[in-house]
Amino acid sequence: MPFKVVEKQTRWGTNWTIFKSFYKGTSKFSKVEKFRKQHPEFFPHYYKGHIVKAAPHSLGIMCFSKRSDAELFKEIISCSKTTIIKVKGIGTPRWVSRVVADCGLDPRNLVSSFYLSGVAPRGTVAFPAVEVLE
């Protein structure tokens, strides 16, 4: 059973959650918030019972194969506003070793970086879609 780290209150994924925790109230925040509104496919909410599909041309919905890997990631990002939820992977899982770097520091990297320059966290697995179980 895969696991996903999301913001407790909004149920957004960690790219937006990390960015908000660093930049809320700064001039950079408003620019990236505009980007988020223009590209909702990269910022889904993970509500119980919903099926969330990966953004076109992305690596997929990034999850963790084990709860312990999700917990380690949560420690690394040092964001107390997150929680770990269970999801059901839909489609063929893809074991990910490289990712677009620093999407949490600037979510615009999701579309402006054309190469995989970052090392994926331990246990990262991506799915074409997930069903949110909790």
Side-chain angles (χ1 to χ4, degrees):
M1 175 99 20
F3 298 89
K4 180 89 181 138
V5 179
V6 299
E7 188 174 39
K8 287 178 195 175
Q9 189 174 21
T10 65
R11 306 290 283 202
W12 259 315
T14 54
N15 287 334
W16 185 247
T17 304
I18 294 167
F19 180 79
K20 273 186 6 182
S21 71
F22 279 104
Y23 295 106
K24 191 152 187 166
T26 69
S27 60
K28 186 174 183 177
F29 183 82
S30 62
K31 291 176 186 174
V32 178
E33 186 174 40
K34 181 179 176 184
F35 170 82
R36 178 185 55 80
K37 290 176 181 178
Q38 292 170 340
H39 297 281
E41 68 276 15
F42 288 109
F43 305 99
H45 293 273
Y46 293 86
Y47 295 120
K48 183 178 181 178
H50 286 205
I51 292 179
V52 178
K53 295 180 181 178
H57 312 293
S58 71
L59 293 173
I61 302 289
M62 303 299 230
C63 301
F64 293 94
S65 58
K66 298 182 211 170
R67 179 176 279 282
S68 59
D69 293 334
E71 289 169 356
L72 178 62
F73 178 70
K74 193 175 165 183
E75 284 180 35
I76 290 168
I77 64 171
S78 301
C79 191
S80 62
K81 296 179 181 184
T82 59
T83 190
I84 298 169
I85 60 171
K86 289 181 188 176
V87 296
K88 176 183 176 186
I90 299 172
T92 305
R94 180 180 186 178
W95 295 98
V96 178
S97 60
R98 307 291 288 170
V99 294
V100 176
D102 297 327
C103 292
L105 295 179
D106 193 337
R108 294 174 292 190
N109 290 344
L110 292 165
V111 295
S112 64
S113 295
F114 299 106
Y115 58 95
L116 303 177
S117 57
V119 176
R122 183 178 76 191
T124 301
V125 60
F127 292 93
V130 297
E131 179 183 356
V132 182
L133 302 178
E134 40 182 48

